[in-house]
Amino acid sequence: MKEILILDGYNVMNALPELQAMVKHDFQGARDRLIDLMAEYRTFRGIDVRIVFDAHLAPRAREHREIIQGVEVIFTKEKMTADSYIEKSIQELAKKRRVIVVTNDWTEQLMVLGSGAVRVSVRELELDLTAARGRIRETARQLRHEKDFLSNRIDEETLQKLEILRNKPEKKPSSNRRDRSDHRRR
């Protein structure tokens, strides 16, 4: 089963330099950008990603889950912090798969380590995101420059069959010049 990366959403938004400035003037935009970044990262790494946002101060808030670009986004219910939600989730998930939690919250980091999950700081995530984006750009550049040959798009067995056909001696049609020239004279 795939490993799962769980982010303390607001903790990451307030610690990731790309999002820190955005949070001050476009809070929803920063949240959307975090989701975009993690969707790209999820695809590149081949892992599941869950972002947990606090709603513990929102009166009468109910837990809300949705999948956005393949990323599971969770808003906790009233009186539940992202930390407590993540702690509860880890207990179930860690039994079946490798769980990685991204947070800079020291108390949460201790809880994560004690529950059998792996802790990653926001700085470590930032470095890996940067490296992943670089590899994505390099792969895209190589693909653009690679010539589009048929041999690059078909399986090896079909390629071998085509090679056999290509190397087969051709039967040359007999030349009937005389017939053609007689036809032209008429």
Side-chain angles (χ1 to χ4, degrees):
M1 192 170 249
K2 288 183 186 179
E3 52 184 35
I4 184 166
L5 183 71
I6 303 175
L7 284 80
D8 180 340
Y10 295 134
N11 184 277
V12 173
M13 282 171 52
N14 287 304
L16 199 61
E18 180 179 342
L19 301 176
Q20 281 175 333
M22 219 177 170
V23 166
K24 293 174 183 141
H25 69 277
D26 185 6
F27 191 78
Q28 181 61 45
R31 201 165 41 201
D32 292 343
R33 179 67 182 138
L34 176 61
I35 294 167
D36 290 343
L37 287 170
M38 297 318 300
E40 184 177 86
Y41 187 76
R42 173 193 155 277
T43 301
F44 181 75
R45 290 279 179 228
I47 61 174
D48 291 333
V49 175
R50 180 182 290 176
I51 303 174
V52 182
F53 293 106
D54 289 317
H56 75 283
L57 298 177
R60 291 185 227 96
R62 294 183 194 186
E63 183 178 310
H64 175 73
R65 296 170 175 255
E66 58 184 300
I67 304 295
I68 302 171
Q69 299 178 61
V71 173
E72 184 178 10
V73 178
I74 299 167
F75 292 91
T76 64
K77 63 184 177 183
E78 180 185 18
K79 298 183 182 174
M80 179 176 258
T81 64
D83 295 1
S84 59
Y85 184 93
I86 291 169
E87 183 177 1
K88 183 178 150 188
S89 297
I90 291 172
Q91 292 172 1
E92 278 303 306
L93 292 169
K95 294 175 188 174
K96 303 173 196 154
R97 59 203 296 196
R98 184 170 185 245
V99 179
I100 304 163
V101 178
V102 180
T103 185
N104 278 350
D105 182 310
W106 179 248
T107 307
E108 190 174 2
Q109 288 179 7
L110 293 174
M111 176 274 305
V112 166
L113 293 171
S115 66
V118 176
R119 174 214 51 95
V120 172
S121 70
V122 176
R123 177 68 179 142
E124 290 171 300
L125 175 66
E126 178 187 13
L127 292 171
D128 202 34
L129 278 169
T130 302
R133 280 191 232 156
R135 281 184 246 139
I136 290 167
R137 277 193 299 275
E138 179 59 26
T139 302
R141 187 190 65 74
Q142 286 175 352
L143 290 173
R144 280 192 306 271
H145 292 296
E146 190 177 281
K147 292 190 178 182
D148 192 16
F149 292 113
L150 177 62
S151 61
N152 293 339
R153 297 183 302 192
I154 59 174
D155 62 274
E156 188 62 33
E157 183 181 339
T158 305
L159 189 58
Q160 288 173 356
K161 289 177 182 176
L162 288 171
E163 188 65 25
I164 291 168
L165 287 172
R166 186 174 75 91
N167 292 328
K168 224 178 197 183
E170 292 183 35
K171 291 183 182 177
K172 296 185 179 182
S174 60
S175 176
N176 291 333
R177 282 188 182 168
R178 193 174 290 162
D179 293 341
R180 284 189 216 147
S181 59
D182 289 343
H183 179 68
R184 288 184 191 151
R185 286 185 205 153
R186 292 181 193 168

